[in-house]
Amino acid sequence: MVDAGPLYAYVDADDRHHESCLQLLETHPGPLIVPMLVVTEADYLIATRLGVEAEARFLGDLAAGNLIAEPVTPSDWLRIAELVVTYRDLPLGAADASVITAAERLGVHQVATLDRRHFSVVRPRHVDALELLP
């Protein structure tokens, strides 16, 4: 499961996490699953900060199947809302909550994220804690 931070960092060669995120995304056996809310968040950040060419490369990775876009299912929305309310003091937000929700539904225990603050606090239903990468 991949959050927006590593997606942005692997595209931005000037980001301090670029090398570690690039290496992770290029070498992880996968699949590299990206919830659709995270696709939207990452695309917005890449487009507004790095421009259209960088955005097109990111979208090309989705088209090539290097990143697998995971839709939000109808039942996911209630769990996303529950997580947003439960962790309102962080605040968690819908995109991060969608990562947790998709991980629970798919039984994924590894999450690529640079957001240790949020993802180290949230307790998913399916494991005691998520393994955070890189």
Side-chain angles (χ1 to χ4, degrees), residues 47-129:
T48 58
R49 296 178 182 178
L50 302 174
V52 172
E53 290 79 15
E55 179 185 20
R57 286 192 307 274
F58 170 66
L59 296 172
D61 282 340
L62 288 159
N66 299 331
L67 302 168
I68 309 299
E70 179 65 26
V72 178
T73 67
S75 63
D76 287 346
W77 291 111
L78 288 175
R79 179 62 175 149
I80 290 168
E82 178 184 336
L83 288 166
V84 166
V85 169
T86 300
Y87 295 97
R88 72 182 66 157
D89 292 339
L90 287 177
L92 186 60
D96 287 350
S98 76
V99 172
I100 303 296
T101 300
E104 290 174 343
R105 180 169 43 80
L106 299 172
V108 172
H109 68 277
Q110 292 182 325
V111 173
T113 186
L114 301 176
D115 185 356
R116 298 299 198 263
R117 179 175 169 255
H118 289 153
F119 287 95
S120 63
V121 171
V122 175
R123 294 295 166 237
R125 291 178 173 165
H126 68 303
V127 291
D128 290 335

